[in-house]
Amino acid sequence: MEIPQELASHLAAEVDQWDVPHIVCRRCGKKFFSLRDAALHIYHIHGVKIAQKYTGEQSS
């Protein structure tokens, strides 16, 4: 699983003990299985504006 460079300071790709890849929020440790879900989290919870382009949401 690849993290876009502009989100790399906020998200990390990891593989758990069962070889399941996931994305981890570097700020709070929450785990996600898709880039979209991780981007939604850091956009809405942590206020990372650049993540919006990975959420599929339209800017208002």
Side-chain angles (χ1 to χ4, degrees):
M1 200 172 291
E2 194 167 321
I3 305 297
Q5 185 65 32
E6 56 202 358
L7 300 180
S9 62
H10 305 285
L11 301 172
E14 295 183 1
V15 176
D16 67 14
Q17 63 210 31
W18 298 281
D19 295 327
V20 177
H22 54 268
I23 298 171
V24 177
C25 175
R26 292 183 188 265
R27 293 185 178 194
C28 66
K30 189 167 174 102
K31 296 180 182 181
F32 304 92
F33 293 102
S34 74
L35 179 60
R36 180 181 182 276
D37 289 344
L40 282 166
H41 168 77
I42 63 172
Y43 177 66
H44 289 291
I45 303 300
H46 299 301
V48 178
K49 302 286 187 218
I50 194 70
Q52 185 178 18
K53 78 180 198 179
Y54 297 97
T55 65
E57 295 181 349
Q58 298 293 321
S59 59
S60 44

